[in-house]
Amino acid sequence: MSRAASHLNFGWRFAPAAHPQYLEPGFDDSGLAVVDLPHSLVELPHTHALAESYAFAGTYRRPVDAGPLAPGHRALLHVDGALTASEVYLDGHRVGGHLGGWTPFTLDLTPHLDASGRGVLAVVVDGTERPDVPPFGGVVDYLGYAGLSREVRLEVVPPVHVADVVVRPSAVLSSSPTLEVGVELESVARRATRVRVDVTLQRLGDVVARAETSASAPAAAHGAPRSCLAVLRMEPGAVDLWQLQDPALYDLVVTVTGAGEVLDTASVRTGFREAEFRPDGFYLNGERLVLRGLNRHQSFPYVGAAMPRSAQRRDAEILVRDLGVQIVRLSHYPQSPHFLDACDELGLLVFEEMPGWQHIGDAEWQSRAVADVEAMVRRDRNRPSVVLWGVRINESPDDDAFYAATNARARALDPTRPTGGVRNVAGSRLLEDVYTYNDFGHRGTNRGLRPARDVTRARVPYLVTEHTGHMFPTKSYDHEGRRLEHALRHLRVLDAAYAAPDVAGAIGWCFVDYPTHREFGSGDRICHHGVLDAFRVPKTAAAGYASQQDATPVLEIGSAMIPGELDASEIRSLHVFTNCDEVRLFRDGEEVGTYLPDRDAYPALPHPPVVVTDLVGRLIERHEKFSRRDAERVKRILATALEVGVDGLCVRSRCWLTWFRLRYGLTRDKAIDLYLRYVAGWGSSAIRWDLEGYTDGVRVATARRCTDGAGRLDVQADTDTLVESVTYDVCRVVVRHVDGAGTRQVHTDVVIHLEAEGAGQIIGPTTVALVGGARAFWVRTNGGSGPLVVRVRSDRFEAQEVRLHVEKVPVA
Ligand code: GAL
């Protein structure tokens, strides 16, 4: 829900400690660091980030000014998220606290403000992974992070105010969809107040429907707020649907008036869509859709979860636009509202999940977990993108009492969406609506997925919520063959999901590499499970996902085409990730052949990769004066020699070689020369490989490989304008070591030095090594406006710079 507020994100004083004196209004905090929100208690290293490093409490202080409060008005503090537990004080008085860092909380500051509405706020944030707070208490495969990691705002609300708005579209596919609107009014007025509640439904600023009702807001109970619910029904007529390619959004604006005066206004966003999980799959707006998805951790190098709007949104853009996925699972906690806003706007479906990981704690812990479910559903139940609530602790054992409670809470607060609960045990007890299961059974050569019925034991809606992940950790700097196999494993699982009539889809593990605890990941404390690395730089698997969508042509070669990278220096085949109908391969400008997607290996996938196993094509016939049939024979023998060695050739091949010697003068030396030129690519300059992708006979994409020379640095920023508004803004800058054809040099050891000049600064270290041929970093605004120049130097290559611009947009 949005409404006018003062944003309290800039200029907090921060002490990396908790001490009673920090709570006192008179404490001189001028010596403390100045920080802005979102903020992480500590800056973490990229590798070997330790949970111990943030296992302490830090104090954030700043003055607040709610202005002189009119009678009955209240100043409410909204904290979007503070990892992992927080205590809030105003002028030294405790206002309240919150356990759990992934859900928002609201506190009433009013009783502690002075007559002018001012006071000094202190928020003590405990970053310890406390066993009494979900997800902690057991072993967890992700870091909890720490700090005032989301935004904070102050709202002054009148005696009767809109505390919440719930919007429930129904019959959206009919000619007369309806909208049920619940407006929760909270009152601290001394007497019951008669109010009128007006709601308008707006599309791009135009009112498309209206409704009104009256309500009696109850009197406060001994000063404590009481609430009532006003329910309205709207019939907007024909509506634009929220669809993946065109996610139409509507605003619902609420105005509350009393005695002829506007008392309060608020608005929420909604969309009209029908999302159903059925035993025969997932249906969006009546059409079956096999869900291709990825799991996302809200995790960024150096700052953990604490990134502002644009970085959170950028992840959704990468998922939709670069990877073409249709669903994201928020593993394993409610994530930034900015990310979810982008999901609503870009058409990315969301499976949102309560905080947890395998461990179920005691009764108190469980009641906190139920409260997390409540906070999650309340926060996000108006979002059209959210199609499923995760109400089980990820991969935990059955616990009927606990899960009856989580399911009941989610269903009571939102009867319109199904629940799921992610498990890793087949045949476990299903209290949810959708059987959601992590299927890690694929090992490269076996089937991609277990049959649904083997897992569910009943005919119920079924969604695969994780696969691949730790079964095949793959670093961005791994051997090419491993990076390729990583991509193919994801595609084999997806192929199996597409083939199964009773699987709603498959959500891969995972979007980006993430730091973790000792028990998981490589020795660097990173789980290299992402299809992108932690800096959001794509691995080969990213091309596998990207090629499954139809919005833009994709043509990515799954090899650097460097023989020495491969076993026995042999390029035996070439995988091309593409959504084109066919691809044509050229060697130094000459056509080698035309190749089709490998439907035999991936019968159900929308776009199987093209697998080129003949990299010589008709070149020998054209250049070496062999007849067509003999050229094919020579090629085959050379190919066999590639596999078994010249000495391993069979008698028949040797006979042919004798015949070629007699017929064409192909001596042993000449045969070796042929082999080296056509197969090994020795001699001359580096071979230039070009690919062209055709759809409906039209060339729609090209790709090239040609590695020669030392290469250069390529520096690209995600945007050219940063906008500082309710808080600072960031921009990711990606540095890559590339060759002349633009191919990333995965095995480089280049070190880069980073500098920012002007209205911004670099987040994290400024001297870093490229990892897997690339490295990204984020620059942030620092209060100024105007040019921001980012320079990247290295000892090896010419320095590069990107010129950005910072705008300051005052908050309305
Ligand atoms: C799953 C778990 C994930 C992650 C993944 C690694 O079992 O749910 O959080 O640990 O394994 O593949």
Side-chain angles (χ1 to χ4, degrees), residues 618-651:
R618 291 174 61 187
L619 296 180
I620 294 181
E621 175 196 342
R622 269 191 232 133
H623 294 282
E624 305 297 335
K625 301 195 178 78
F626 289 95
S627 72
R628 175 179 271 199
R629 287 175 62 187
D630 287 344
E632 279 302 309
R633 275 188 195 114
V634 168
K635 192 170 75 182
R636 269 206 304 277
I637 292 172
L638 292 182
T640 315
L642 183 65
E643 278 190 25
V644 298
V646 178
D647 295 337
L649 289 176
C650 65
V651 176

Side-chain angles (χ1 to χ4, degrees), residues 463-496:
L463 174 68
V464 175
T465 39
E466 289 183 35
H467 62 84
T468 312
H470 66 286
M471 302 305 291
F472 205 74
T474 302
K475 300 177 181 72
S476 59
Y477 44 92
D478 262 335
H479 180 269
E480 177 174 302
R482 187 166 184 98
R483 285 180 282 125
L484 175 64
E485 173 61 13
H486 182 226
L488 299 181
R489 286 191 181 209
H490 276 274
L491 293 188
R492 286 184 212 114
V493 173
L494 284 177
D495 185 62

Side-chain angles (χ1 to χ4, degrees), residues 347 368 393 416:
R368 276 180 201 128
I393 301 296
T416 70

Side-chain angles (χ1 to χ4, degrees), residues 391-407:
V391 301
R392 249 175 109 110
I393 301 296
N394 172 65
E395 295 189 337
S396 56
D398 285 347
D399 185 327
D400 285 4
F402 178 35
Y403 292 132
T406 56
N407 272 285

Side-chain angles (χ1 to χ4, degrees), residues 716-778:
Q716 306 280 342
D718 279 351
T719 180
D720 54 10
T721 307
L722 289 84
V723 180
E724 190 166 283
S725 183
V726 301
T727 190
Y728 65 94
D729 193 9
V730 297
C731 168
R732 185 182 67 136
V733 180
V734 185
V735 184
R736 301 184 311 146
H737 175 184
V738 294
D739 63 19
T743 305
R744 194 161 83 226
Q745 300 301 290
V746 163
H747 303 302
T748 191
D749 71 345
V750 163
V751 169
I752 52 172
H753 310 282
L754 315 173
E755 276 168 31
E757 187 189 313
Q761 66 202 57
I762 284 156
I763 297 177
T766 51
T767 295
V768 292
L770 298 191
V771 179
R775 182 112 182 186
F777 58 93
W778 283 259

Side-chain angles (χ1 to χ4, degrees), residues 174-178 208-209 234-239 272:
S174 75
S175 55
S176 49
T178 58
V208 296
M234 304 180 93
E235 290 182 3
V239 291
F272 293 85

Side-chain angles (χ1 to χ4, degrees), residues 53 117 128 155 261 296 565 587 692 729 796:
S53 70
T128 314
E155 279 176 8
E261 270 182 40
R296 177 195 190 236
E565 163 74 350
R587 176 179 164 143
E692 294 181 344
D729 193 9
R796 303 261 292 278

